[in-house]
């Protein structure tokens, strides 16, 4: 079961410029910066009410974010939903015909286990499932 809109992921070319822009826009500095080496991405998180904004910038040419930016440019990359049990949710979605990009949950940013739903099975939107670790 999807329990909460966890965050919106925004792909950006220049993480420092985007961080400054969103700090001004939201009136608050980010609460967290994180490098996720396994994904080739640097992230910055802002709290907005009960949800978050995640800025993502690729750190390698092979990064999914770098490839996304090359193909589509800056903007909304994904919508993330919090789930109570990521494995149960993944099994339910598979049974209902959704295509998942991960066979098993993987460690993501912000102390989360994550799995992505392919945009082709979610009306063109990349959906991230997130479960707090531990």
């Amino acid at each position: 079961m999807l329990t909460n809109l966890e965050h919106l992921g925004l792909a950006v070319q220049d993480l420092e410029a985007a961080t400054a822009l969103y700090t001004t826009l939201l009136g608050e500095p980010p609460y967290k910066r994180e490098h996720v080496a396994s994904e080739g991405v640097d992230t910055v998180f802002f709290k907005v009410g009960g949800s978050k904004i995640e800025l993502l910038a690729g750190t390698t040419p092979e990064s999914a974010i770098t490839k996304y930016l090359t193909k589509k440019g800056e903007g909304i990359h994904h919508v993330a939903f919090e789930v109570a049990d990521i494995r149960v949710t993944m099994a339910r979605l598979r049974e209902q015909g959704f295509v998942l990009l991960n066979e098993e949950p993987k460690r993501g940013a912000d102390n989360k286990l994550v799995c992505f739903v392919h945009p082709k099975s979610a009306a063109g939107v990349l959906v991230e499932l997130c479960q707090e670790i531990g």
Side-chain angles (χ1 to χ4, degrees):
M1 173 187 245
L2 307 181
T3 59
N4 186 42
L5 175 63
E6 216 285 331
H7 68 268
L8 290 177
L10 308 179
V12 300
Q13 293 282 357
D14 182 334
L15 190 59
E16 294 311 312
T19 299
L21 176 90
Y22 276 87
T23 297
T24 301
L25 177 70
L26 300 172
E28 295 284 332
Y31 75 90
K32 185 175 196 176
R33 293 172 180 262
E34 187 173 348
H35 175 70
V36 185
S38 63
E39 300 301 314
V41 68
D42 284 334
T43 67
V44 172
F45 283 90
F46 292 88
K47 290 187 179 180
V48 182
S51 294
K52 303 170 195 164
I53 299 289
E54 177 188 24
L55 304 180
L56 303 120
T59 59
T60 67
E62 300 79 29
S63 163
I65 295 299
T66 301
K67 291 176 183 177
Y68 178 89
L69 286 164
T70 300
K71 187 176 179 180
K72 298 195 176 187
E74 292 184 306
I76 296 175
H77 178 260
H78 65 271
V79 176
F81 294 97
E82 184 176 6
V83 298
D85 187 320
I86 197 165
R87 286 179 173 83
V88 168
T89 302
M90 289 171 67
R92 177 181 66 81
L93 292 176
R94 271 192 205 104
E95 287 172 11
Q96 293 176 329
F98 288 89
V99 176
L100 305 182
L101 296 177
N102 312 96
E103 287 299 314
E104 289 292 322
K106 60 183 178 176
R107 187 176 193 93
D110 206 27
N111 197 41
K112 302 281 192 264
L113 287 176
V114 302
C115 173
F116 287 90
V117 178
H118 197 291
K120 289 182 181 176
S121 64
V125 176
L126 180 62
V127 173
E128 180 181 7
L129 308 173
C130 302
Q131 179 185 328
E132 188 80 25
I133 296 173

